[in-house]
Amino acid sequence: MQQTVYILNGPNLNLLGLREPEIYGHETLDDVIESCARLATELGLSTRAFQSNHEGVLIEHIHEARDQAAAIIINPAAFSHSSIAILDALNAFSGPVIEVHISNIHKREHFRHHSFVSGRADGVIAGLGTQGYLLALRHLATRLG
Ligand code: DQA
């Protein structure tokens, strides 16, 4: 059976393509999710994608991933910098977790330099634009294979 990778996106990422395009680019979240699904098929994986502006909803998807997903790719967006609850939920997931940021959070405001989620992530990709999601999938294909 194909292994499923959950792709979770946090607050404001529903506005990808519209929101601060000079930082986040012109691609929409639907474009990104579609590219991920296409690449996953080539790699022999499947993906399920969820976006929420609500911390609790993201946490529930992480709980669901415990028995539905082999791995998680997560862009927690602003919750990266604030949410111990998302960190705790990810700590209760046993598969690989890759944290993706479209922008290079280390090159931006000081408050973005720390991510609670990085304390759990097996890998962090930041600053490579939306390509980061595809690179995370390629890595997971070698790791899960
Ligand atoms: C982001 C970076 C975060 O600091 C910010 O709050 C976001 C998006 C990124 O993908 O670059 O919403 O996670």
Side-chain angles (χ1 to χ4, degrees):
M1 214 186 61
Q2 276 185 336
Q3 305 205 73
T4 301
V5 177
Y6 266 30
I7 303 177
L8 303 178
N9 281 285
N12 302 305
L13 288 167
N14 54 312
L15 297 181
L16 200 61
L18 301 172
R19 161 201 189 210
E20 300 179 275
E22 65 290 356
I23 299 176
Y24 299 113
H26 291 278
E27 254 187 310
T28 66
L29 188 58
D30 282 350
D31 295 334
V32 175
I33 295 314
E34 204 180 297
S35 304
C36 286
R38 218 174 308 121
L39 177 64
T41 306
E42 274 173 39
L43 297 170
L45 299 170
S46 70
T47 51
R48 286 191 72 193
F50 304 97
Q51 186 276 332
S52 180
N53 296 321
H54 304 278
E55 190 176 16
V57 174
L58 290 166
I59 290 168
E60 276 161 13
H61 285 306
I62 296 168
H63 292 174
E64 183 187 287
R66 283 162 47 84
D67 50 43
Q68 300 288 321
I72 295 176
I73 295 172
I74 185 165
N75 183 346
F79 291 147
S80 318
H81 318 301
S82 65
S83 180
I84 296 168
I86 289 179
L87 169 64
D88 284 349
L90 289 168
N91 278 333
F93 176 78
S94 58
V97 173
I98 310 296
E99 178 182 356
V100 171
H101 296 282
I102 297 166
S103 64
N104 182 357
I105 54 175
H106 303 289
K107 210 177 158 184
R108 299 181 63 192
E109 303 96 321
H110 191 259
F111 62 82
R112 294 185 203 276
H113 294 183
H114 178 261
S115 164
F116 285 100
V117 170
S118 299
R120 163 61 180 92
D122 297 288
V124 181
I125 299 174
L128 301 185
T130 54
Q131 214 191 357
Y133 294 88
L134 300 172
L135 294 168
L137 259 182
R138 285 191 187 280
H139 168 75
L140 287 171
T142 62
R143 191 162 174 150
L144 296 173

CSV table of all heavy atoms in Angstrom, one decimal, residues 81-134:
chain,number,residue,atom,x,y,z
A,81,HIS,N,6.4,30.0,15.8
A,81,HIS,CA,7.1,30.8,16.8
A,81,HIS,C,6.4,30.9,18.1
A,81,HIS,O,6.8,31.6,19.0
A,81,HIS,CB,7.2,32.2,16.2
A,81,HIS,CG,7.6,32.2,14.7
A,81,HIS,ND1,8.8,31.6,14.3
A,81,HIS,CD2,7.0,32.7,13.6
A,81,HIS,CE1,8.9,31.7,13.0
A,81,HIS,NE2,7.8,32.3,12.5
A,82,SER,N,5.2,30.3,18.3
A,82,SER,CA,4.4,30.5,19.5
A,82,SER,C,3.9,29.2,20.1
A,82,SER,O,3.5,29.2,21.3
A,82,SER,CB,3.2,31.4,19.2
A,82,SER,OG,2.4,30.8,18.3
A,83,SER,N,3.8,28.1,19.3
A,83,SER,CA,2.9,27.0,19.7
A,83,SER,C,3.6,25.8,20.3
A,83,SER,O,4.1,24.9,19.6
A,83,SER,CB,2.0,26.5,18.6
A,83,SER,OG,1.2,25.5,19.0
A,84,ILE,N,3.6,25.8,21.6
A,84,ILE,CA,4.1,24.6,22.3
A,84,ILE,C,3.1,23.4,22.1
A,84,ILE,O,3.5,22.3,22.1
A,84,ILE,CB,4.3,24.9,23.8
A,84,ILE,CG1,5.4,25.9,24.0
A,84,ILE,CG2,4.7,23.6,24.6
A,84,ILE,CD1,5.6,26.6,25.3
A,85,ALA,N,1.8,23.8,21.9
A,85,ALA,CA,0.8,22.7,21.8
A,85,ALA,C,1.0,22.0,20.4
A,85,ALA,O,0.9,20.7,20.4
A,85,ALA,CB,-0.6,23.4,21.8
A,86,ILE,N,1.4,22.7,19.4
A,86,ILE,CA,1.7,22.0,18.1
A,86,ILE,C,3.0,21.1,18.3
A,86,ILE,O,3.1,20.0,17.8
A,86,ILE,CB,1.8,23.0,16.9
A,86,ILE,CG1,0.4,23.5,16.6
A,86,ILE,CG2,2.5,22.3,15.7
A,86,ILE,CD1,0.3,24.5,15.5
A,87,LEU,N,4.0,21.6,19.0
A,87,LEU,CA,5.2,20.9,19.3
A,87,LEU,C,4.8,19.6,20.0
A,87,LEU,O,5.3,18.5,19.7
A,87,LEU,CB,6.2,21.7,20.1
A,87,LEU,CG,7.4,20.9,20.7
A,87,LEU,CD1,8.3,20.4,19.6
A,87,LEU,CD2,8.2,21.8,21.7
A,88,ASP,N,4.0,19.7,21.1
A,88,ASP,CA,3.6,18.5,21.8
A,88,ASP,C,2.8,17.5,21.0
A,88,ASP,O,3.1,16.3,21.1
A,88,ASP,CB,2.7,18.9,23.0
A,88,ASP,CG,3.5,19.6,24.2
A,88,ASP,OD1,4.7,19.5,24.1
A,88,ASP,OD2,2.8,20.1,25.1
A,89,ALA,N,2.0,18.0,20.1
A,89,ALA,CA,1.2,17.1,19.2
A,89,ALA,C,2.2,16.3,18.3
A,89,ALA,O,2.1,15.1,18.1
A,89,ALA,CB,0.2,17.9,18.4
A,90,LEU,N,3.2,17.1,17.8
A,90,LEU,CA,4.2,16.4,16.9
A,90,LEU,C,5.0,15.4,17.6
A,90,LEU,O,5.4,14.4,17.1
A,90,LEU,CB,5.0,17.5,16.2
A,90,LEU,CG,4.3,18.3,15.1
A,90,LEU,CD1,5.1,19.5,14.7
A,90,LEU,CD2,3.9,17.5,13.9
A,91,ASN,N,5.3,15.7,18.9
A,91,ASN,CA,6.0,14.8,19.7
A,91,ASN,C,5.3,13.5,19.9
A,91,ASN,O,5.9,12.4,20.2
A,91,ASN,CB,6.4,15.4,21.1
A,91,ASN,CG,7.6,16.3,21.0
A,91,ASN,OD1,8.5,16.1,20.1
A,91,ASN,ND2,7.7,17.3,21.8
A,92,ALA,N,4.0,13.5,19.7
A,92,ALA,CA,3.1,12.3,19.9
A,92,ALA,C,3.0,11.5,18.6
A,92,ALA,O,2.3,10.5,18.5
A,92,ALA,CB,1.8,12.6,20.4
A,93,PHE,N,3.7,12.0,17.5
A,93,PHE,CA,3.6,11.4,16.2
A,93,PHE,C,5.0,10.7,16.0
A,93,PHE,O,6.0,11.3,16.3
A,93,PHE,CB,3.4,12.4,15.1
A,93,PHE,CG,3.5,11.9,13.7
A,93,PHE,CD1,2.4,11.2,13.2
A,93,PHE,CD2,4.6,12.0,12.9
A,93,PHE,CE1,2.5,10.7,11.9
A,93,PHE,CE2,4.7,11.5,11.7
A,93,PHE,CZ,3.6,10.8,11.1
A,94,SER,N,5.0,9.4,15.6
A,94,SER,CA,6.3,8.7,15.6
A,94,SER,C,7.1,8.7,14.3
A,94,SER,O,8.2,8.4,14.3
A,94,SER,CB,6.1,7.2,16.1
A,94,SER,OG,5.2,6.6,15.2
A,95,GLY,N,6.4,9.1,13.2
A,95,GLY,CA,7.1,9.1,11.9
A,95,GLY,C,8.0,10.4,11.7
A,95,GLY,O,8.0,11.3,12.6
A,96,PRO,N,8.6,10.4,10.6
A,96,PRO,CA,9.4,11.6,10.3
A,96,PRO,C,8.6,12.9,10.1
A,96,PRO,O,7.5,12.8,9.5
A,96,PRO,CB,10.2,11.3,9.0
A,96,PRO,CG,9.7,10.0,8.5
A,96,PRO,CD,8.8,9.4,9.5
A,97,VAL,N,9.1,14.0,10.5
A,97,VAL,CA,8.5,15.3,10.4
A,97,VAL,C,9.4,16.3,9.8
A,97,VAL,O,10.6,16.4,10.2
A,97,VAL,CB,8.1,15.9,11.8
A,97,VAL,CG1,7.6,17.3,11.7
A,97,VAL,CG2,7.1,15.0,12.5
A,98,ILE,N,9.0,16.9,8.7
A,98,ILE,CA,9.8,17.9,8.0
A,98,ILE,C,9.1,19.2,8.1
A,98,ILE,O,8.0,19.4,7.7
A,98,ILE,CB,10.1,17.6,6.5
A,98,ILE,CG1,10.6,16.1,6.3
A,98,ILE,CG2,11.1,18.6,5.9
A,98,ILE,CD1,12.0,15.8,7.0
A,99,GLU,N,9.8,20.2,8.7
A,99,GLU,CA,9.3,21.6,8.8
A,99,GLU,C,9.7,22.4,7.6
A,99,GLU,O,10.9,22.4,7.2
A,99,GLU,CB,9.8,22.2,10.1
A,99,GLU,CG,9.4,23.6,10.4
A,99,GLU,CD,10.0,24.2,11.6
A,99,GLU,OE1,10.8,23.4,12.4
A,99,GLU,OE2,9.8,25.4,11.9
A,100,VAL,N,8.7,23.1,7.0
A,100,VAL,CA,9.0,23.9,5.8
A,100,VAL,C,8.6,25.3,6.0
A,100,VAL,O,7.5,25.6,6.5
A,100,VAL,CB,8.3,23.3,4.5
A,100,VAL,CG1,8.4,24.3,3.3
A,100,VAL,CG2,8.8,21.9,4.1
A,101,HIS,N,9.5,26.2,5.7
A,101,HIS,CA,9.1,27.7,5.6
A,101,HIS,C,9.5,28.2,4.2
A,101,HIS,O,10.6,27.9,3.7
A,101,HIS,CB,9.9,28.5,6.7
A,101,HIS,CG,9.6,28.1,8.0
A,101,HIS,ND1,8.4,28.5,8.7
A,101,HIS,CD2,10.2,27.2,8.9
A,101,HIS,CE1,8.4,27.9,9.9
A,101,HIS,NE2,9.4,27.2,10.0
A,102,ILE,N,8.6,28.8,3.6
A,102,ILE,CA,8.8,29.4,2.3
A,102,ILE,C,9.9,30.4,2.3
A,102,ILE,O,10.8,30.4,1.4
A,102,ILE,CB,7.4,29.9,1.7
A,102,ILE,CG1,6.4,28.8,1.6
A,102,ILE,CG2,7.6,30.6,0.4
A,102,ILE,CD1,5.0,29.3,1.5
A,103,SER,N,9.8,31.3,3.3
A,103,SER,CA,10.8,32.3,3.4
A,103,SER,C,11.9,31.9,4.4
A,103,SER,O,11.8,30.9,5.1
A,103,SER,CB,10.2,33.6,4.0
A,103,SER,OG,9.7,33.4,5.3
A,104,ASN,N,13.1,32.5,4.3
A,104,ASN,CA,14.2,32.2,5.2
A,104,ASN,C,13.9,33.0,6.6
A,104,ASN,O,14.2,34.2,6.7
A,104,ASN,CB,15.5,32.6,4.7
A,104,ASN,CG,16.6,32.2,5.6
A,104,ASN,OD1,16.4,31.7,6.7
A,104,ASN,ND2,17.9,32.5,5.2
A,105,ILE,N,13.3,32.3,7.5
A,105,ILE,CA,12.9,32.9,8.8
A,105,ILE,C,14.1,33.5,9.5
A,105,ILE,O,13.9,34.4,10.3
A,105,ILE,CB,12.1,31.9,9.7
A,105,ILE,CG1,12.9,30.6,9.9
A,105,ILE,CG2,10.7,31.6,9.1
A,105,ILE,CD1,12.2,29.7,10.9
A,106,HIS,N,15.3,33.0,9.2
A,106,HIS,CA,16.5,33.5,9.9
A,106,HIS,C,17.0,34.8,9.4
A,106,HIS,O,17.8,35.5,10.0
A,106,HIS,CB,17.6,32.4,9.9
A,106,HIS,CG,17.1,31.2,10.5
A,106,HIS,ND1,16.9,31.0,11.9
A,106,HIS,CD2,16.7,30.0,9.9
A,106,HIS,CE1,16.4,29.8,12.1
A,106,HIS,NE2,16.3,29.2,10.9
A,107,LYS,N,16.5,35.2,8.2
A,107,LYS,CA,16.9,36.4,7.6
A,107,LYS,C,15.9,37.5,7.9
A,107,LYS,O,16.1,38.7,7.4
A,107,LYS,CB,17.0,36.2,6.1
A,107,LYS,CG,18.0,36.9,5.3
A,107,LYS,CD,17.9,36.5,3.8
A,107,LYS,CE,18.4,37.5,2.9
A,107,LYS,NZ,18.3,37.1,1.5
A,108,ARG,N,14.8,37.2,8.6
A,108,ARG,CA,13.7,38.1,8.8
A,108,ARG,C,13.7,38.7,10.2
A,108,ARG,O,14.8,38.6,10.9
A,108,ARG,CB,12.4,37.4,8.4
A,108,ARG,CG,12.4,37.0,6.9
A,108,ARG,CD,11.1,36.3,6.6
A,108,ARG,NE,10.0,37.3,6.7
A,108,ARG,CZ,8.7,36.9,6.6
A,108,ARG,NH1,8.4,35.6,6.5
A,108,ARG,NH2,7.7,37.8,6.7
A,109,GLU,N,12.6,39.2,10.7
A,109,GLU,CA,12.5,39.8,12.0
A,109,GLU,C,13.0,38.8,13.1
A,109,GLU,O,12.8,37.6,12.9
A,109,GLU,CB,11.1,40.2,12.4
A,109,GLU,CG,10.5,41.2,11.4
A,109,GLU,CD,9.6,40.5,10.4
A,109,GLU,OE1,10.0,39.4,9.9
A,109,GLU,OE2,8.5,41.0,10.0
A,110,HIS,N,13.6,39.3,14.1
A,110,HIS,CA,14.1,38.5,15.2
A,110,HIS,C,13.1,37.5,15.8
A,110,HIS,O,13.4,36.3,16.0
A,110,HIS,CB,14.7,39.4,16.3
A,110,HIS,CG,15.5,38.6,17.3
A,110,HIS,ND1,15.0,38.2,18.5
A,110,HIS,CD2,16.7,38.1,17.2
A,110,HIS,CE1,15.9,37.5,19.2
A,110,HIS,NE2,17.0,37.4,18.4
A,111,PHE,N,11.8,37.9,15.9
A,111,PHE,CA,10.8,37.1,16.5
A,111,PHE,C,10.5,35.8,15.6
A,111,PHE,O,9.9,34.9,16.1
A,111,PHE,CB,9.5,37.8,16.8
A,111,PHE,CG,8.8,38.4,15.6
A,111,PHE,CD1,8.0,37.6,14.8
A,111,PHE,CD2,9.0,39.7,15.3
A,111,PHE,CE1,7.3,38.2,13.7
A,111,PHE,CE2,8.3,40.3,14.1
A,111,PHE,CZ,7.5,39.5,13.4
A,112,ARG,N,11.0,35.8,14.4
A,112,ARG,CA,10.8,34.6,13.5
A,112,ARG,C,12.0,33.6,13.6
A,112,ARG,O,11.9,32.6,13.0
A,112,ARG,CB,10.6,35.0,12.1
A,112,ARG,CG,9.3,35.8,11.8
A,112,ARG,CD,9.2,36.1,10.3
A,112,ARG,NE,8.3,37.2,10.1
A,112,ARG,CZ,7.0,37.2,10.1
A,112,ARG,NH1,6.3,36.1,10.3
A,112,ARG,NH2,6.3,38.3,9.9
A,113,HIS,N,13.0,34.0,14.3
A,113,HIS,CA,14.2,33.2,14.3
A,113,HIS,C,14.1,31.9,15.1
A,113,HIS,O,14.8,30.9,14.8
A,113,HIS,CB,15.4,34.0,14.8
A,113,HIS,CG,15.8,35.1,13.9
A,113,HIS,ND1,16.9,35.9,14.2
A,113,HIS,CD2,15.2,35.6,12.8
A,113,HIS,CE1,17.0,36.8,13.2
A,113,HIS,NE2,16.0,36.6,12.4
A,114,HIS,N,13.2,31.9,16.1
A,114,HIS,CA,13.0,30.7,16.9
A,114,HIS,C,11.7,30.0,16.5
A,114,HIS,O,10.6,30.6,16.4
A,114,HIS,CB,12.9,31.0,18.4
A,114,HIS,CG,12.7,29.8,19.2
A,114,HIS,ND1,11.4,29.4,19.7
A,114,HIS,CD2,13.5,28.8,19.5
A,114,HIS,CE1,11.5,28.3,20.3
A,114,HIS,NE2,12.8,27.9,20.3
A,115,SER,N,11.8,28.7,16.2
A,115,SER,CA,10.6,27.8,16.0
A,115,SER,C,10.6,26.7,17.0
A,115,SER,O,11.5,25.9,17.1
A,115,SER,CB,10.7,27.2,14.6
A,115,SER,OG,9.8,26.2,14.5
A,116,PHE,N,9.4,26.7,17.7
A,116,PHE,CA,9.2,25.6,18.7
A,116,PHE,C,9.2,24.2,17.9
A,116,PHE,O,9.7,23.2,18.4
A,116,PHE,CB,7.9,25.7,19.5
A,116,PHE,CG,8.0,26.8,20.5
A,116,PHE,CD1,7.5,28.1,20.3
A,116,PHE,CD2,8.7,26.5,21.7
A,116,PHE,CE1,7.7,29.1,21.3
A,116,PHE,CE2,8.8,27.5,22.7
A,116,PHE,CZ,8.3,28.8,22.5
A,117,VAL,N,8.6,24.2,16.8
A,117,VAL,CA,8.5,23.0,16.0
A,117,VAL,C,9.8,22.4,15.6
A,117,VAL,O,10.0,21.2,15.5
A,117,VAL,CB,7.6,23.3,14.7
A,117,VAL,CG1,7.6,22.1,13.8
A,117,VAL,CG2,6.2,23.6,15.2
A,118,SER,N,10.8,23.2,15.4
A,118,SER,CA,12.2,22.7,15.1
A,118,SER,C,12.7,21.8,16.1
A,118,SER,O,13.6,21.0,15.8
A,118,SER,CB,13.2,23.9,14.8
A,118,SER,OG,12.7,24.7,13.8
A,119,GLY,N,12.2,21.9,17.4
A,119,GLY,CA,12.6,21.0,18.5
A,119,GLY,C,12.2,19.6,18.2
A,119,GLY,O,12.7,18.7,18.9
A,120,ARG,N,11.3,19.4,17.3
A,120,ARG,CA,10.8,18.0,17.0
A,120,ARG,C,11.2,17.6,15.5
A,120,ARG,O,11.3,16.4,15.2
A,120,ARG,CB,9.3,18.0,17.2
A,120,ARG,CG,8.6,16.8,16.5
A,120,ARG,CD,9.1,15.4,17.0
A,120,ARG,NE,8.4,14.3,16.4
A,120,ARG,CZ,8.8,13.7,15.3
A,120,ARG,NH1,9.9,14.1,14.7
A,120,ARG,NH2,8.2,12.6,14.8
A,121,ALA,N,11.3,18.6,14.7
A,121,ALA,CA,11.4,18.3,13.2
A,121,ALA,C,12.7,17.5,13.0
A,121,ALA,O,13.7,17.7,13.6
A,121,ALA,CB,11.5,19.6,12.4
A,122,ASP,N,12.6,16.5,12.1
A,122,ASP,CA,13.8,15.8,11.7
A,122,ASP,C,14.6,16.6,10.7
A,122,ASP,O,15.8,16.3,10.5
A,122,ASP,CB,13.4,14.4,11.1
A,122,ASP,CG,12.6,13.6,12.1
A,122,ASP,OD1,13.3,13.1,13.0
A,122,ASP,OD2,11.4,13.5,12.1
A,123,GLY,N,13.9,17.5,10.0
A,123,GLY,CA,14.6,18.3,9.0
A,123,GLY,C,13.9,19.6,8.9
A,123,GLY,O,12.6,19.6,9.1
A,124,VAL,N,14.6,20.7,8.6
A,124,VAL,CA,13.9,22.0,8.4
A,124,VAL,C,14.4,22.6,7.1
A,124,VAL,O,15.6,22.6,6.8
A,124,VAL,CB,14.3,23.0,9.6
A,124,VAL,CG1,13.6,24.3,9.4
A,124,VAL,CG2,14.0,22.4,10.9
A,125,ILE,N,13.5,23.0,6.3
A,125,ILE,CA,13.8,23.7,5.0
A,125,ILE,C,13.2,25.1,5.1
A,125,ILE,O,12.0,25.3,5.3
A,125,ILE,CB,13.2,22.9,3.8
A,125,ILE,CG1,13.7,21.5,3.7
A,125,ILE,CG2,13.5,23.7,2.5
A,125,ILE,CD1,13.1,20.6,2.6
A,126,ALA,N,14.1,26.1,4.9
A,126,ALA,CA,13.6,27.5,5.0
A,126,ALA,C,14.3,28.3,3.9
A,126,ALA,O,15.5,28.2,3.6
A,126,ALA,CB,13.9,28.1,6.3
A,127,GLY,N,13.5,29.1,3.2
A,127,GLY,CA,14.0,30.1,2.3
A,127,GLY,C,14.1,29.6,0.8
A,127,GLY,O,14.6,30.3,0.0
A,128,LEU,N,13.6,28.4,0.5
A,128,LEU,CA,13.7,27.9,-0.8
A,128,LEU,C,12.4,28.0,-1.6
A,128,LEU,O,12.2,27.4,-2.6
A,128,LEU,CB,14.2,26.4,-0.8
A,128,LEU,CG,15.6,26.2,-0.1
A,128,LEU,CD1,16.0,24.7,-0.3
A,128,LEU,CD2,16.6,27.1,-0.7
A,129,GLY,N,11.5,28.9,-1.0
A,129,GLY,CA,10.3,29.1,-1.7
A,129,GLY,C,9.4,27.9,-1.6
A,129,GLY,O,9.6,27.0,-0.7
A,130,THR,N,8.4,27.8,-2.5
A,130,THR,CA,7.5,26.6,-2.4
A,130,THR,C,8.2,25.3,-2.8
A,130,THR,O,7.6,24.3,-2.6
A,130,THR,CB,6.2,26.9,-3.2
A,130,THR,OG1,6.7,27.2,-4.6
A,130,THR,CG2,5.4,28.1,-2.7
A,131,GLN,N,9.3,25.5,-3.4
A,131,GLN,CA,10.1,24.3,-3.8
A,131,GLN,C,10.4,23.4,-2.5
A,131,GLN,O,10.7,22.2,-2.6
A,131,GLN,CB,11.4,24.7,-4.4
A,131,GLN,CG,11.9,23.8,-5.5
A,131,GLN,CD,13.3,24.1,-6.0
A,131,GLN,OE1,13.9,25.1,-5.5
A,131,GLN,NE2,13.8,23.4,-6.9
A,132,GLY,N,10.5,24.1,-1.4
A,132,GLY,CA,10.8,23.4,-0.1
A,132,GLY,C,9.9,22.2,0.1
A,132,GLY,O,10.3,21.2,0.6
A,133,TYR,N,8.6,22.3,-0.2
A,133,TYR,CA,7.6,21.2,0.0
A,133,TYR,C,8.0,20.0,-0.9
A,133,TYR,O,7.9,18.9,-0.4
A,133,TYR,CB,6.2,21.7,-0.4
A,133,TYR,CG,5.6,22.7,0.5
A,133,TYR,CD1,5.8,24.1,0.2
A,133,TYR,CD2,4.8,22.4,1.6
A,133,TYR,CE1,5.2,25.1,1.0
A,133,TYR,CE2,4.2,23.4,2.4
A,133,TYR,CZ,4.4,24.7,2.1
A,133,TYR,OH,3.8,25.7,2.9
A,134,LEU,N,8.4,20.3,-2.1
A,134,LEU,CA,8.8,19.2,-3.1
A,134,LEU,C,10.1,18.6,-2.6
A,134,LEU,O,10.2,17.3,-2.7
A,134,LEU,CB,8.9,19.8,-4.5
A,134,LEU,CG,7.7,20.5,-5.0
A,134,LEU,CD1,7.9,21.1,-6.4
A,134,LEU,CD2,6.5,19.5,-5.2
